[in-house]
Amino acid sequence: MGEATVTEPAGAGGAKEPRIRVTLSNISVYPRKAPFAFEIAAELGYDGLEIMVLPDTTTKDAKALNRLAADHGQPVTSIHAPSLVLSQGIWGRLPGPKLERSVDLALEVGAEVVVVHPPFRWQRRYSRGFVDHVRALSEATGVVVAVENMYPWRNRRREMVRAYLPGWDPTEHDYDHVTLDLSHAAVARQDSRALARQFGPRLRHIHLADGTASMMDEHLVPGRGTQPARELLSDLVSSGWSGDVCVEISTRRANSAAERHEDVAASLKFARTYLTPGRHADYTPPEGAHHRHLDAW
């Protein structure tokens, strides 16, 4: 597997500067479908796509994904296993085989990473062997299976509800590879920059978004919430980190195509600004449409 970086043209000294790839998740344009995600990613200049497996049939079809990747010059660099509630029926009800099919799909499209959520608390049998299963899949296939940080669910009394097994916080579990999601960190009331430091070399993938200390998972455009997204991206550059920064925002309540386009473009500009080595001008995304908590996934 190649490293998740691209190379910039040689500078004045002739040295080539590696650049962290910025990719786009198809969920960022939901309810628009995967072909539109490829179109907008190519138009704006993203480095590739993360495909979250959804009821959209294209997201499960390796041939269709490879054709779209070739047509738009946008490789599929990562696969997100069907872990959301809206995708629970995809590929059957058993979560273990669904993860295996996600890894198979990654191999078919040349993706290097599979992102997976920890099991829900009602998936007790799956959860007991989850850590070992994830490790075995990575070792057997060479695909990095990176477990994503989640958050505690809260009821109307704001009391914590145990929603995941073995748990929602990867810092407490022995995963080889981890995905850091900034919106999830916001819901958990954690500092994503501090989490990245705790994960250390286990950090293999970033879901770039933003959020507030809401009970809901907002997936705001980076820079519109309270997470230290700027500092985190700068840390990745200074540390020589190698991985993808994948924009995973919510535009599902966009009032127009132009509004969705602006959010996806602003997210890319934010990422590229703070993943650029050296001094540069600050960037604050335009305020955009008002996001209510009901806009959360």
Side-chain angles (χ1 to χ4, degrees), residues 124-182:
R124 292 186 180 277
R125 181 177 299 178
Y126 174 53
S127 70
R128 284 196 290 269
F130 180 67
V131 176
D132 291 337
H133 188 208
V134 165
R135 178 171 292 131
L137 281 173
S138 290
E139 291 175 351
T141 64
V143 174
V144 171
V145 182
V147 181
E148 190 167 3
N149 63 305
M150 298 305 292
Y151 45 84
W153 292 6
R154 295 179 175 88
N155 59 26
R156 292 182 179 179
R157 297 178 183 175
R158 296 186 176 268
E159 295 170 342
M160 302 260 248
V161 177
R162 190 177 187 189
Y164 299 99
L165 291 174
W168 56 268
D169 185 351
T171 62
E172 299 176 355
H173 305 286
D174 187 27
Y175 302 122
D176 293 333
H177 311 297
V178 176
T179 294
L180 171 58
D181 185 299
L182 277 71

Side-chain angles (χ1 to χ4, degrees), residues 22 208 222 233 245 247 266-276:
V22 182
L208 180 61
L233 296 181
V245 169
V247 168
S267 298
L268 177 61
K269 185 170 182 180
F270 185 97
R272 287 269 165 79
T273 296
Y274 295 102
L275 290 172
T276 299

Side-chain angles (χ1 to χ4, degrees), residues 201-218:
R202 299 195 300 153
L203 179 61
R204 298 299 300 271
H205 196 68
I206 301 285
H207 278 166
L208 180 61
D210 213 330
T212 63
S214 163
M215 290 172 60
M216 304 297 289
D217 186 15
E218 297 167 294

Side-chain angles (χ1 to χ4, degrees), residues 59-67 69 76 79 91 100-112 114 143:
T59 64
K60 298 171 278 186
D61 186 335
K63 290 182 179 178
L65 292 172
N66 284 331
R67 185 166 57 249
V76 177
I79 297 292
W91 292 332
E100 292 165 9
R101 290 192 67 170
S102 300
V103 172
D104 289 342
L105 180 61
L107 291 169
E108 291 180 84
V109 299
E112 301 160 4
V114 167
V143 174

